[in-house]
Amino acid sequence: MRRLVACAFVVFFALTAGMSSAQHVTTGTIAVRVVDEHGMALPGATVEVSSVQGTRHGATGGDGRLLLAYLTPGTYSARVTLDGFRPAEQTGIDLRLGQRLELVVTLAAGSFADALEVQGAAPVVDLSTATAGTALESEALARLPVGRRLGETLGLASGASSGGGTGVSNPSISGGTGMENQYVVDGVNVGHPRYGTLGTYARGYGALGTGVTVDFIDEVNVNSAGTEAEYGQSTGGLVNVVTRSGSNHWLGSVFVYLRPEWLEGDREEVRLTGGAVSTAGSRLEEAGISLSGPLVRDRAFLFAALDPQRETTTFVAPQGFPLASLGETERTRETLAYAAKLTLNLAGGHRVDVSAFGDPADGEMGPQSADAMLYRSTGAFSSLEYGGHNQSVRYQGALGPEWLVEVAAGRAESDFYETPSVDEWQVTDYTTAPATVSGGKGLYDLSSVGESLQYHLRSTHLLGAHELRYGASYEDVTFDWNAVYTGPPIVLADGRTTDSGALVNVVSDPTFGKIYRAVGARFLSTRTSTVESWAAFVQDRFELSRSVTVNAGLRYEEQKIAGRGGSFTFDDNWAPRLGVVIDPTASGTMKVYASAGIFFARIPNSLPVIAFGASGGRVLRADYYDAALSRPIPDGVLAGGTTGHLILSGTTPTKFDPDARTTYIREASIGFEMQVGDHSSVGVRGVYRDMPRILEDLGTASATLVVAKDPAVSGVNYFISNPRDGYPGTVKDVGAFEDLTHQYRALELTFDRRFADNWSLLASYRWSRLWGNYEGFFRNDNGQGAPAQSSLYDFPTNDPSYTEIGVPQYGFRGDIRYLGELGEGPLPTDRPHLLKVYGTYAFDAGLSLGGGLTAGSGRPLTPLAANPATNRRGEIPEAPRGDGIETEDGFAARTPWEWSLDVHADYGFEVPGGKLVLAADVFNLFDLQRVVDYDQDTQLAYRVANPDYGNRIRYQEPRQVRVAVRYEF
């Protein structure tokens, strides 16, 4: 019944709005209210707003209001005239992306010939919404010491902190992992089809590229709380980006940016028992061009840019290590970032935007993966081809004075191809001290190809004091994946042959000396998947009084995931949202606001490509007597500490609980913001989030039953459901599932001064706690990116048999109950304290100085043992979360505080035909080399101790210097 109602809901939207708009805004709105000196509404007043793209005009209605929508973010001026009143003007109106700026203009009695009356400063506080976030404008980014890629700018936002293993481009926003944000550029969801990340994401590489550089960006808006009903599919943050547009003036630039290796500070060397490959240096070179201007004045505008980049990282193997003979070895990656945008401002307030952007790239044959030089040969070297291409087209217009519509379509493509240098098994010999690795690369993505087709609609009606919005969106995502292991296929003890190679571990044995354990091999490497998502929303913004605005909305979402092996639909996802904004002084310079809502996670293609991708299963363990893997060890023989020598996983299709529902969070926020002076605001807000339900794949057999090969366990197969206390049931009732906990609490203080009177400042302090036993779509414990399919619940967590039987009989380590309620504590991305201060000052002589200070708590530390069934390290806690470990620097519950000071300077002077700008940025000015991470893994593999447990494994990046020359014309 609910689904039928939802279908009718969307059909109604389609019939009333045609193909109305997009779910993600790329423009802003100026809402003008014209009143007389007594505050009475003035209908019929003529309003003109002007910018570099020309002038828009209209007349106020009976309530003295006029809504001018679909304006390119930027600086505007407004002029208001009415017979019998003196004309008024307001300048310096700074309109931001997605903002609905409320502009009140007061007209004094007089004649049109009277002197123009200049109103006060434009408002800074947005009284229309309870959404919390940070706006990053291109002008500010150009004057600050920040990276030039989109992902490198997100750390300036107040709600964002390190995402750990998801990299700098995918931060943790308001307690979510880096795989739970949504990234939208020019209305296109550019999140990776499989993981939802910004940039092409691949195993062992993290996020590669972003598709957008700072030179392409007009504005970035990072929403961290209070998002309204027209937005969804995120349990983290919403990152909305609009690229530059042309104007009525032809402008352009030619630029060169260099970050040379010889200007880097000295790097602290990581010293590990097995020999750690060091990064000797890195350099980045880019040169590009941009051009923008009018094709038809006031009507048609063009922006286009190219930004080729070449990044090189130099590695050195330690003395005595086989690859030390290579000396300094370079990893090179080249990217051709591009962007183009056509904007048409048609008569009657109609607008069309067409944009395309991308970042095709390749990596030369070499140590492309992070651990490629840890092997004893160049067998783990590889070459890469990757990147994305994105296009969008959007119509926005007014079908009447009180009816606004939008229609949008987009396409996002993300590809990744890897070619290894050799096709051999990867062999890890644990009988040597330290363990040695040889052979091929092991698991790699031969191809990973995704495409997303997106269609959005929105309609807005102005009904008196109500601004009613409604709309729908549809997205069709396909993802094909071919992941293989290097080396020839292997023949198992049951006579079956795998599709590709395997990882081979050499394990000591008192009877046979050593045995050879193959893991990971698959029966079918090529997989395919689709995810169809659609959503509908209705949102009403209305004024209870001149001082109270209410935003009430309801959103419905549905997803169908499918592959060769089946399909499943997640429906009945109703997400109510409520926001209240109070202007206590009725002056437009202050607001008290609160919001509450439910947000459902977007299930990316990672789940169906594995669950329904027709993989045919994989090998968790296959033991052999010989290195050629020709003589399988039969079950029942005691070897390698076990009598079970063939364990398979996923041999039957993944089963879905028919009542399974998708992950969601509940959120509540409250805040206060006040304008200070003409261009600044200060604020304080509190945010609370929890996760009442998660979607995960569950292994219902305990680890002891699996390792003992109990007859009741047929391989290791999974069940997709919503785990909770006592549900689902387990094999032989051994162990049980528990309620999961994920709670985020934060208090944020902010100061935001837009660039004016030669200076700007963006500052924030956040106190927060992220607590529980479930992190989210990314598991930092072991670096696992598997949304809704992490290894956290491969076995029931509340299982006393793990320690009572598994530890003494099978050599298990840790206690699996620490993955459940017994182990609740600070989650891996918990950062209690975080301070950010970024400011700039421009001198009249052409010199501009900027600086950025960041300081924050380190990450919590937890000792982690290997999984006894899957052999994966970093899986089973040996203590509650955040309990601390013994490091080479002594016992520590967290890594040390991290802080860095970055500085920027640029000097511009006039030259024939334009302006020449010389710039320099120094990152980590004081060359701090503080420890960023320790090795928390007590084991390298099941029954194999980690000699580097507690050692330092990563330091801060050293001081780096970037210099630039720009010619602007």
Side-chain angles (χ1 to χ4, degrees):
M1 181 63 184
R2 290 181 180 176
R3 187 173 179 181
L4 182 62
V5 171
C7 290
F9 189 54
V10 172
V11 169
F12 169 73
F13 288 161
L15 291 175
T16 56
M19 279 293 295
S20 333
S21 149
Q23 181 180 358
H24 303 290
V25 296
T26 58
T27 56
T29 299
I30 296 179
V32 182
R33 183 161 62 92
V34 181
V35 298
D36 63 16
E37 294 170 294
H38 305 289
M40 301 298 293
L42 293 177
T46 300
V47 180
E48 295 180 346
V49 295
S50 302
S51 73
V52 293
Q53 286 191 341
T55 301
R56 286 274 302 276
H57 59 83
T60 58
D63 56 357
R65 296 177 182 272
L66 174 66
L67 193 69
L68 293 169
Y70 313 133
L71 301 175
T72 298
T75 302
Y76 286 80
S77 62
R79 178 184 173 92
V80 182
T81 58
L82 181 64
D83 288 344
F85 293 86
R86 296 170 58 186
E89 184 176 86
Q90 192 164 79
T91 60
I93 303 169
D94 189 8
L95 179 65
R96 291 183 166 178
L97 175 61
Q99 185 180 21
R100 186 183 188 277
L101 197 151
E102 303 283 345
L103 188 65
V104 180
V105 178
T106 302
L107 297 185
S111 70
F112 186 83
D114 288 341
L116 185 71
E117 185 171 300
V118 179
Q119 303 282 302
V124 172
V125 177
D126 186 352
L127 295 173
S128 68
T129 180
T131 300
T134 303
L136 308 172
E137 297 170 316
S138 57
E139 281 193 34
L141 295 175
R143 294 187 175 96
L144 293 174
V146 296
R148 289 183 39 77
R149 296 168 179 147
L150 168 61
E152 294 169 328
T153 69
L154 304 181
L156 277 66
S158 60
S161 59
S162 171
T166 54
V168 66
S169 295
N170 294 279
S172 169
I173 300 179
S174 293
T177 71
M179 288 187 173
E180 294 167 55
N181 304 320
Q182 189 175 45
Y183 302 95
V184 179
V185 181
D186 282 352
V188 180
N189 181 355
V190 297
H192 188 268
R194 182 178 175 186
Y195 299 103
T197 52
L198 179 63
T200 300
Y201 197 94
R203 183 194 314 272
Y205 296 93
L208 300 169
T210 64
V212 179
T213 66
V214 168
D215 282 286
F216 304 169
I217 294 172
D218 187 21
E219 187 172 332
V220 181
N221 200 311
V222 183
N223 289 350
S224 55
T227 307
E228 296 176 359
E230 60 193 284
Y231 307 104
Q233 296 189 336
S234 170
T235 50
L238 169 64
V239 178
N240 195 12
V241 182
V242 63
T243 59
R244 292 179 185 267
S245 302
S247 69
N248 273 325
H249 306 284
W250 281 104
L251 303 172
S253 66
V254 179
F255 52 85
V256 176
Y257 284 82
L258 301 174
R259 199 193 69 209
E261 183 175 326
W262 60 272
L263 286 178
E264 282 192 342
D266 295 331
R267 292 177 178 267
E268 191 73 28
E269 184 179 356
V270 174
R271 298 178 176 86
L272 300 179
T273 305
V277 173
S278 299
T279 300
S282 67
R283 63 183 184 272
L284 179 63
E285 301 136 357
E286 58 178 304
I289 184 171
S290 68
L291 182 67
S292 67
L295 298 178
V296 178
R297 185 172 179 82
D298 291 341
R299 294 301 183 193
F301 310 95
L302 174 70
F303 170 80
L306 285 175
D307 189 0
Q309 306 161 27
R310 180 183 177 92
E311 185 172 17
T312 304
T313 305
T314 305
F315 300 101
V316 176
Q319 292 299 317
F321 201 75
L323 290 185
S325 61
L326 296 178
E328 292 190 348
T329 303
E330 292 186 345
R331 179 186 72 197
T332 302
R333 296 172 181 168
E334 295 182 345
T335 302
L336 179 60
Y338 68 89
K341 188 173 188 179
L342 174 66
T343 300
L344 303 175
N345 285 339
L346 307 177
H350 300 276
R351 173 185 178 128
V352 176
D353 289 283
V354 181
S355 66
F357 53 93
D359 59 348
D362 63 77
E364 298 176 358
M365 181 63 71
Q368 290 293 337
S369 61
D371 59 354
M373 288 192 65
L374 295 177
Y375 303 96
R376 305 187 74 82
S377 70
T378 58
F381 284 16
S382 63
S383 63
L384 308 176
E385 291 183 25
Y386 60 92
H389 299 276
N390 312 276
Q391 305 89 35
S392 72
V393 58
R394 173 185 301 262
Y395 161 78
Q396 301 170 311
L399 299 186
E402 297 179 343
W403 186 10
L404 310 175
V405 297
E406 302 176 43
V407 184
R411 175 182 176 272
E413 174 192 341
S414 179
D415 303 332
F416 180 90
Y417 303 91
E418 184 168 14
T419 304
S421 59
V422 299
D423 190 19
E424 301 173 0
W425 294 326
Q426 181 192 113
V427 180
T428 304
D429 190 345
Y430 290 110
T431 67
T432 64
T436 58
V437 183
S438 60
K441 179 178 176 57
L443 181 63
Y444 71 100
D445 288 355
L446 179 64
S447 64
S448 171
V449 180
E451 181 185 50
S452 170
L453 301 177
Q454 307 166 29
Y455 309 93
H456 307 288
L457 58 89
R458 183 174 67 180
S459 182
T460 302
H461 292 272
L462 306 179
L463 306 172
H466 295 263
E467 182 180 318
L468 181 66
R469 288 171 289 160
Y470 53 87
S473 64
Y474 172 78
E475 185 174 4
D476 183 12
V477 184
T478 58
F479 179 72
D480 299 328
W481 181 40
N482 189 0
V484 299
Y485 287 87
T486 52
I490 63 175
V491 180
L492 304 178
D494 61 6
R496 288 193 287 175
T497 302
T498 63
D499 186 51
S500 68
L503 304 178
V504 179
N505 298 326
V506 185
V507 181
S508 297
D509 184 82
T511 303
F512 304 102
K514 61 178 68 174
I515 67 169
Y516 300 83
R517 176 165 290 161
V519 299
R522 294 172 176 174
F523 295 105
L524 184 62
S525 300
T526 302
R527 313 179 188 198
T528 185
S529 66
T530 62
V531 174
E532 292 182 89
S533 305
W534 69 266
F537 80 92
V538 60
Q539 179 88 31
D540 187 17
R541 175 185 289 124
F542 59 95
E543 295 182 357
L544 288 180
S545 67
R546 288 187 57 182
S547 299
V548 181
T549 300
V550 176
N551 290 294
L554 179 65
R555 181 179 180 84
Y556 179 84
E557 297 178 1
E558 183 170 307
Q559 281 191 282
K560 179 182 178 181
I561 63 174
R564 293 189 183 124
S567 65
F568 191 86
T569 299
F570 297 96
D571 55 11
D572 288 342
N573 297 323
W574 296 94
R577 312 280 174 81
L578 178 65
V580 179
V581 180
I582 301 173
D583 180 0
T585 61
S587 64
T589 61
M590 183 184 304
K591 72 175 181 180
V592 178
Y593 61 95
S595 70
I598 288 177
F599 300 83
F600 290 93
R602 176 183 183 272
I603 303 299
N605 287 60
S606 175
L607 179 59
V609 82
I610 295 176
F612 296 134
S615 66
R618 62 189 176 98
V619 176
L620 294 184
R621 178 189 300 170
D623 292 340
Y624 296 82
Y625 289 114
D626 62 320
L629 306 187
S630 62
R631 294 188 296 133
I633 302 175
D635 285 344
V637 176
L638 180 61
T642 183
T643 57
H645 299 290
L646 180 61
I647 302 178
L648 306 178
S649 167
T651 54
T652 60
T654 300
K655 296 181 180 179
F656 275 71
D657 184 341
D659 297 322
R661 305 282 299 279
T662 191
T663 301
Y664 78 93
I665 64 168
R666 296 180 297 199
E667 177 192 278
S669 67
I670 186 170
F672 169 79
E673 186 178 357
M674 179 176 66
Q675 183 168 333
V676 179
D678 289 342
H679 307 284
S680 307
S681 66
V682 295
V684 58
R685 59 177 171 253
V687 180
Y688 173 82
R689 284 181 169 184
D690 69 359
M691 195 172 286
R693 183 181 69 219
I694 70 160
L695 181 74
E696 268 287 352
D697 66 335
L698 314 173
T700 56
S702 72
T704 51
L705 293 178
V706 171
V707 172
K709 298 206 71 173
D710 189 281
V713 180
S714 176
V716 179
N717 294 299
Y718 297 99
F719 181 61
I720 306 293
S721 186
N722 306 119
R724 52 191 181 274
D725 194 16
Y727 184 85
T730 60
V731 176
K732 287 189 169 182
D733 292 326
V734 178
F737 291 98
E738 302 170 277
D739 289 333
L740 308 174
T741 306
H742 176 106
Q743 293 183 342
Y744 173 79
R745 293 165 291 163
L747 180 65
E748 300 177 21
L749 307 176
T750 62
F751 180 89
D752 184 1
R753 177 181 172 84
R754 306 174 186 183
F755 187 79
D757 300 327
N758 293 356
W759 68 283
S760 66
L761 183 64
L762 181 66
S764 65
Y765 166 76
R766 185 188 71 173
W767 173 90
S768 66
R769 294 311 308 265
L770 180 61
W771 185 271
N773 52 33
Y774 179 75
E775 187 174 2
F777 278 0
F778 186 85
R779 185 181 180 189
N780 271 290
D781 293 338
N782 59 357
Q784 184 185 36
Q789 285 187 299
S790 76
S791 57
L792 280 167
Y793 308 105
D794 283 358
F795 311 105
T797 52
N798 187 6
D799 177 20
S801 74
Y802 187 94
T803 54
E804 294 172 359
I805 299 174
V807 170
Q809 292 191 25
Y810 301 111
F812 292 3
R813 284 194 62 168
D815 190 337
I816 200 168
R817 289 174 294 183
Y818 289 138
L819 288 177
E821 295 178 6
L822 189 65
E824 289 182 0
L827 292 167
T829 52
D830 175 61
R831 302 289 190 274
H833 302 281
L834 188 60
L835 174 68
K836 305 174 186 180
V837 182
Y838 285 85
T840 183
Y841 188 87
F843 296 89
D844 293 336
L847 175 66
S848 179
L849 299 179
L853 171 67
T854 58
S857 305
R859 61 175 294 180
L861 298 172
T862 305
L864 298 161
N867 189 313
T870 63
N871 216 44
R872 291 190 298 250
R873 62 190 292 181
E875 299 259 326
I876 309 297
E878 297 201 23
R881 289 195 175 275
D883 225 36
I885 66 173
E886 191 65 43
T887 76
E888 60 179 298
D889 300 313
F891 184 82
R894 288 182 179 271
T895 56
W897 265 62
E898 300 174 28
W899 73 278
S900 179
L901 178 65
D902 309 323
V903 295
H904 167 89
D906 66 68
Y907 179 71
F909 53 93
E910 300 298 326
V911 296
K915 180 180 180 182
L916 190 66
V917 180
L918 307 177
D921 297 270
V922 182
F923 303 98
N924 192 2
L925 177 65
F926 296 113
D927 199 23
L928 299 175
Q929 294 284 283
R930 297 172 70 83
V931 180
V932 174
D933 203 3
Y934 295 99
D935 193 334
Q936 300 177 77
D937 298 339
T938 61
Q939 293 180 299
L940 296 175
Y942 174 44
R943 302 176 72 91
V944 180
N946 180 10
D948 293 311
Y949 169 61
N951 288 347
R952 307 166 188 162
I953 57 174
R954 194 159 62 94
Y955 295 87
Q956 280 181 262
E957 286 291 302
R959 179 177 56 244
Q960 296 179 321
V961 179
R962 184 181 68 199
V963 294
V965 178
R966 297 181 65 95
Y967 174 62
E968 300 174 350
F969 56 90

